[in-house]
Amino acid sequence: SDVQIVLTTLGASIAGTYSVAARMGNFYPLIIITLNSLFASRLRLQNTISANFIKKSLFLLFAILFLMLLCAWQAPLIIKLLFGAKAAGAGLIYRYLTLAYLPLMAATLPIAILVFFYGKTKLVGMLGVIQVIIMLTGSFTLTPNFREIGPIIALGVANSIVLLFSCVKVIRLWKSE
């Protein structure tokens, strides 16, 4: 994982700071899983994807993305409040980690549409494999040069690729109908 890469590459002190931010960042995948469950329950019941469903889903997503941006903006304060002044160094890392999760959060709707409406499970599975490969190779190659931000850059790139490909595929499927 990214914490182990930071530990072996940069040492225990930096890994400790990074792990505080990473622990806070673990909250975002939980939100993503919850959103996917919500979207899945709605998409399974529909023969078509209604404009109302898209509007409500986009509103929810934009609200969450806005809250994430607020968290990124206030990251140093959030870290200091939750973990104390000694962990203040994790604030900037948490900010960047939050920004790296934005594309993945935004991809929840197109991914849910691909899986639960179009049945494109293999495509989404391949996106996941590509995402992991980018994250691992990016973490190993970027950490020596970019230090604790290296794994976050890899995460952001991987998540952005997932967002891009899932949106392009959904648009192509809609146009082909």
Side-chain angles (χ1 to χ4, degrees), residues 111 114-115 120-132:
I111 288 173
L114 286 171
V115 171
K120 300 291 184 185
T121 55
K122 289 181 183 178
L123 172 70
V124 172
M126 286 304 299
L127 280 175
V129 169
I130 292 167
Q131 185 181 26
V132 168

Side-chain angles (χ1 to χ4, degrees), residues 11-30:
S13 177
I14 294 172
T17 303
Y18 184 88
S19 67
V20 169
R23 179 157 310 257
M24 290 292 298
N26 286 340
F27 182 65
Y28 297 123
L30 296 175

Side-chain angles (χ1 to χ4, degrees), residues 43 46-55 57-58 61 109-118 120 166-177:
L43 287 168
Q46 298 181 16
N47 293 332
T48 61
I49 300 175
S50 70
N52 190 39
F53 171 78
I54 295 296
K55 286 179 192 175
S57 299
L58 287 175
L61 269 177
L109 181 59
I111 288 173
I113 290 170
L114 286 171
V115 171
F116 299 108
F117 189 75
Y118 289 111
K120 300 291 184 185
S166 62
C167 286
V168 167
K169 187 62 177 176
V170 166
I171 290 168
R172 285 185 179 167
L173 288 167
W174 275 342
K175 287 183 177 180
S176 70
E177 288 183 347

Side-chain angles (χ1 to χ4, degrees), residues 2-172:
D2 53 347
V3 175
Q4 285 82 16
I5 293 169
V6 170
L7 176 64
T8 58
T9 308
L10 304 175
S13 177
I14 294 172
T17 303
Y18 184 88
S19 67
V20 169
R23 179 157 310 257
M24 290 292 298
N26 286 340
F27 182 65
Y28 297 123
L30 296 175
I31 296 171
I32 291 167
I33 291 168
T34 303
L35 277 177
N36 271 328
S37 298
L38 175 70
F39 292 150
S41 66
R42 301 288 188 258
L43 287 168
R44 284 187 190 137
L45 303 174
Q46 298 181 16
N47 293 332
T48 61
I49 300 175
S50 70
N52 190 39
F53 171 78
I54 295 296
K55 286 179 192 175
K56 287 180 180 179
S57 299
L58 287 175
F59 178 78
L60 176 62
L61 269 177
F62 284 128
I64 292 170
L65 292 170
F66 177 74
L67 289 173
M68 288 176 71
L69 286 171
L70 283 176
C71 285
W73 179 46
Q74 293 297 321
L77 178 64
I78 293 169
I79 293 292
K80 197 181 286 186
L81 287 173
L82 293 176
F83 297 100
K86 289 184 179 182
L92 191 58
I93 298 168
Y94 176 58
R95 175 178 291 157
Y96 293 141
L97 194 58
T98 298
L99 295 173
Y101 271 115
L102 286 171
L104 188 61
M105 187 69 70
T108 55
L109 181 59
I111 288 173
I113 290 170
L114 286 171
V115 171
F116 299 108
F117 189 75
Y118 289 111
K120 300 291 184 185
T121 55
K122 289 181 183 178
L123 172 70
V124 172
M126 286 304 299
L127 280 175
V129 169
I130 292 167
Q131 185 181 26
V132 168
I133 291 169
I134 291 169
M135 287 169 34
L136 286 175
T137 58
S139 292
F140 280 115
T141 57
L142 296 173
T143 300
N145 293 326
F146 294 97
R147 306 196 44 84
E148 60 268 28
I149 305 301
I152 298 170
I153 294 169
L155 177 68
V157 168
N159 290 344
S160 296
I161 288 171
V162 168
L163 174 62
L164 176 70
F165 281 111
S166 62
C167 286
V168 167
K169 187 62 177 176
V170 166
I171 290 168
R172 285 185 179 167

